[in-house]
Amino acid sequence: SLRLEHVVSASPPPFALKRHKKPSAASSKEERVEMVSRGELPWTVQRTLGFGAFGAVFDATLKDDERVALKICFTTVKTFGVEREIEILAEIARRRPDATPR
């Protein structure tokens, strides 16, 4: 099943997103984003799945060993775009047929 959680926090996060770009890189294929921890996190990042204008998506494992796709938005992003994305994903999850065999 698809579980969506939207968390907005005014306090500084316990991590930072760090962009790495080769000086001569003209394409985003030469760029990468990593999560830098500033303390203990409630997840472990396995790898970066992708990134774009809003932020980055990571393959992560929660403390209870649940595997998730974790999207972290850059601080410069307005939340309206992210909120719309969450609404769309929730609607997709609602319409998704039950994968359990009958």
Side-chain angles (χ1 to χ4, degrees):
S1 70
L2 181 62
R3 183 181 81 194
L4 300 172
E5 291 184 25
H6 179 209
V7 178
V8 177
S9 175
S11 62
F15 60 86
L17 294 182
K18 191 169 189 179
R19 287 182 179 226
H20 300 278
K21 187 171 186 177
K22 292 183 181 176
S24 63
S27 75
S28 63
K29 291 183 181 181
E30 302 285 338
E31 189 176 11
R32 65 185 176 87
V33 173
E34 72 172 313
M35 184 181 295
V36 179
S37 173
R38 295 182 187 147
E40 189 172 335
L41 299 172
W43 60 76
T44 302
V45 171
Q46 306 302 325
R47 65 189 175 105
T48 304
L49 296 174
F51 61 93
F54 278 125
V57 179
F58 300 94
D59 174 3
T61 305
L62 301 179
K63 295 284 184 196
D64 64 0
D65 291 331
E66 180 181 7
R67 201 80 181 267
V68 297
L70 175 68
K71 183 168 189 170
I72 304 292
C73 296
F74 297 128
T75 56
T76 56
V77 172
K78 301 289 184 204
T79 60
F80 71 88
V82 176
E83 289 168 351
R84 180 69 181 135
E85 181 178 354
I86 290 169
E87 289 171 8
I88 291 168
L89 289 171
E91 181 64 19
I92 290 169
R94 189 185 65 76
R95 292 181 183 193
R96 187 174 162 192
D98 188 352
T100 308
R102 298 184 188 269

